[in-house]
Amino acid sequence: MNLKENQTHLSLDEINNTIDFSGDNSASQKFLSFLGPGLLVAVGYMDPGNWITSMQGGAQFGYTLLFVILVSSLAAMLLQSMTVRLGIASGNDLAQMTRYYLNKPVAIAFWIIAELAIIATDIAEVIGSAIALDLLFNIPLIVGALITVFDVFLLLFIMKFGFRKIEAIVGTLIFTVLLIFIFEVFIASPHVIDILNGFVPHKEIVTNQSILYIALGIIGATIMPHNLYLHSSIVQSRKYNRQSNKDKAQAIKYATIDSNIQLSVAFVVNCLLLVLGAALFYGANTDSLGGFYDLYHALKTQPILGVVLGSIMSTLFAVALLASGQNSTITGTLAGQIVMEGFLKLSIPNWMRRLITRGLAVIPVLVCLVIFHGNEAKIEQLLVFSQVFLSIALPFSLIPLQLATSNKHIMGPFYNKTWINVCSWSLIVILSLLNIYLIVETFEEFFA
């Protein structure tokens, strides 16, 4: 397959080139026109997997790991800016470009890995949403998991009103989460000097085995494969002159600004989670803070909060968890469609695509609930393993991204500069090695 053949099939055809973006508009109008895709991408950087690692990091080691969140967020900004350039400069998404680089059997193998990564992501959202429903309404986990299947119909209903509506809903849910944690951190009253000191690198991060393990968990839960496929496609929803390098350059500029702003919001949310864990639980018995239920009850009964405020804090925590799960449901659906169409050029009805993906995610959750009789800890352990699989799948997305964006034939004048190539290859090697280490440590801890 050559590149021209690849370009005959539009990525997310129903939204591609549908939102006006004119190079003649003012800077503020251009910015507002491109504000949105970054919101959908930022969702993956503050999903339930990030919650556990960030709060546990704060509860166990205070503010030390804020530096790791900072470095992970900067790495994410670089990688997402590369996907923006790929989508706009080439007119192809990452799934299409991966297929372009590989022969059919290898491309199918990469497609299977990408699909499994999306299912793994969906498992985390099913678990997060089901737990939130249990905490808020005492709905049994099995029933809550089954309820999440019907998220598909909600998303399909929203999509009828246009892609801008999806971006607006996702943005509302993100800022709901942000405001909740700003409030909770304000109530917890952390020491500002200690927080600032957390952004300074500490040698304990690499010399202390326990801190290093949590640090790797934060990194592993931050950069997720489906976000790379997603972002390279949805930036093409904006309408600009696809033949003009000047218009492409402006589109890349404002899409990157949008991405960096939204990832900065995700960075703040993850910092707030860690700060909340440190302010409330550091120095206490953190062995009992292993998951969402433990954190919920710990917030509710925290002595410094009081009964009423503790109840409000724990309820808001559950509301934020539900919002996070619903947000990730939307982006997971879009990423699944992008991957299937990009790798296989296969389009199936959205409702069928969504039901298949969510059904495959719900099944292992239901099986674990039945086998372990609704054991909360085991279900949360399944969430951890879903994040481990994402770590395995990550290089299969990063390497094609690097190869494509450094190719002048594909990217034209927008190919990677030397410093980007050095940084991105370094990230690929480091993240791959750290993820391998994380996988080994996770399995050793589980079977110890």
Side-chain angles (χ1 to χ4, degrees):
M1 181 182 66
N2 61 46
L3 188 57
K4 289 185 178 179
E5 287 175 342
N6 214 40
Q7 291 175 318
T8 60
H9 181 74
L10 292 178
S11 180
L12 284 183
D13 189 29
E14 66 271 26
I15 68 165
N16 194 298
N17 204 32
T18 59
I19 299 173
D20 287 332
F21 172 83
S22 173
D24 298 326
N25 288 339
S26 66
S28 60
Q29 289 174 319
K30 293 174 187 175
F31 169 71
L32 291 174
S33 296
F34 248 102
L35 187 65
L39 286 167
L40 275 69
V41 171
V43 167
Y45 292 91
M46 49 181 124
D47 77 333
N50 293 84
W51 286 41
I52 286 294
T53 53
S54 293
M55 289 201 74
Q56 274 290 286
Q60 294 181 19
F61 308 113
Y63 305 103
T64 303
L65 291 172
L66 284 172
F67 173 74
V68 175
I69 295 179
L70 174 62
V71 172
S72 299
S73 298
L74 292 174
M77 288 179 184
L78 173 63
L79 293 173
Q80 295 300 158
S81 71
M82 291 168 64
T83 65
V84 164
R85 282 190 294 107
L86 174 65
I88 294 174
S90 72
N92 289 266
D93 61 54
L94 180 58
Q96 292 170 328
M97 291 311 308
T98 304
R99 178 178 169 83
Y100 166 72
Y101 265 105
L102 304 173
N103 59 41
K104 190 171 182 179
V106 179
I108 290 175
F110 271 57
W111 167 68
I112 292 172
I113 293 170
E115 290 286 3
L116 290 174
I118 290 170
I119 292 170
T121 302
D122 226 28
I123 287 174
E125 318 323 339
V126 168
I127 293 172
S129 296
I131 290 175
L133 290 171
D134 185 17
L135 294 174
L136 289 170
F137 309 112
N138 293 320
I139 296 175
L141 286 175
I142 289 181
V143 177
L146 291 172
I147 287 174
T148 65
V149 174
F150 296 98
D151 289 343
V152 57
F153 300 109
L154 176 62
L155 176 60
L156 292 176
F157 176 75
I158 295 170
M159 287 190 74
K160 292 182 180 293
F161 295 95
F163 195 63
R164 269 301 207 186
K165 298 297 187 298
I166 293 178
E167 292 174 346
I169 290 170
V170 168
T172 301
L173 291 174
I174 285 176
F175 283 98
T176 298
V177 173
L178 176 63
L179 291 174
I180 285 173
F181 284 115
I182 288 175
F183 170 75
E184 296 204 333
V185 169
F186 174 76
I187 296 300
S189 301
H191 297 292
V192 176
I193 299 300
D194 292 338
I195 294 174
L196 295 176
N197 188 49
F199 291 108
V200 177
H202 293 74
K203 66 177 181 179
E204 290 83 2
I205 295 174
V206 293
T207 59
N208 185 307
Q209 187 78 6
S210 299
I211 297 179
L212 178 60
Y213 180 74
I214 295 293
L216 295 177
I218 290 173
I219 294 170
T222 297
I223 303 171
M224 303 172 73
H226 79 282
N227 263 344
L228 303 175
Y229 297 108
L230 176 70
H231 207 179
S232 60
S233 176
I234 58 178
V235 292
Q236 298 178 53
S237 62
R238 271 50 185 177
K239 187 186 297 183
Y240 51 88
N241 185 351
R242 306 292 171 105
Q243 306 305 315
S244 166
N245 284 337
K246 179 182 177 182
D247 279 20
K248 284 184 178 181
Q250 289 198 66
I252 289 171
K253 173 184 174 182
Y254 287 102
T256 303
I257 291 172
D258 169 51
S259 174
N260 289 342
I261 288 174
Q262 312 309 341
L263 291 180
S264 296
V265 173
F267 162 71
V268 171
V269 169
N270 285 321
C271 287
L272 290 171
L273 285 163
L274 189 142
V275 168
L276 185 63
L280 294 181
F281 308 120
Y282 181 54
N285 180 17
T286 54
D287 291 339
S288 62
L289 299 177
F292 293 120
Y293 284 96
D294 300 325
L295 291 165
Y296 175 84
H297 294 301
L299 281 170
K300 197 169 189 176
T301 58
Q302 184 68 17
I304 65 171
L305 298 178
V307 176
V308 176
L309 190 55
S311 180
I312 293 173
M313 293 271 282
S314 58
T315 300
L316 288 176
F317 175 83
V319 169
L321 178 60
L322 183 60
S324 174
Q326 293 307 298
N327 252 348
S328 298
T329 288
I330 293 173
T331 58
T333 297
L334 294 172
Q337 184 179 346
I338 292 161
V339 164
M340 179 172 284
E341 292 180 358
F343 277 103
L344 305 181
K345 292 189 176 181
L346 176 64
S347 297
I348 62 176
N350 286 340
W351 65 268
M352 184 182 297
R353 162 78 224 186
R354 186 63 197 139
L355 280 177
I356 291 172
T357 303
R358 179 48 60 98
L360 291 173
V362 167
I363 289 170
V365 177
L366 294 177
V367 169
C368 285
L369 283 169
V370 172
I371 292 176
F372 298 114
H373 307 289
N375 186 298
E376 300 162 0
K378 291 294 183 182
I379 293 301
E380 290 174 340
Q381 190 65 41
L382 178 61
L383 188 153
V384 173
F385 278 116
S386 73
Q387 302 303 299
V388 171
F389 182 81
L390 291 177
S391 298
I392 298 173
L394 188 57
F396 294 90
S397 303
L398 292 181
I399 293 174
L401 174 64
Q402 166 59 30
L403 292 175
T405 52
S406 59
N407 188 316
K408 294 182 182 180
H409 173 61
I410 293 171
M411 300 294 291
F414 305 106
Y415 67 94
N416 290 342
K417 293 180 173 61
T418 302
W419 72 267
I420 293 179
N421 282 328
V422 172
C423 290
S424 59
W425 274 121
S426 299
L427 276 172
I428 290 169
V429 172
I430 292 170
L431 285 172
S432 298
L433 292 175
L434 290 179
N435 283 328
I436 291 170
Y437 182 81
L438 174 63
I439 292 163
V440 172
E441 288 294 306
T442 299
F443 278 93
E444 285 183 353
E445 183 177 276
F446 183 77
F447 292 108

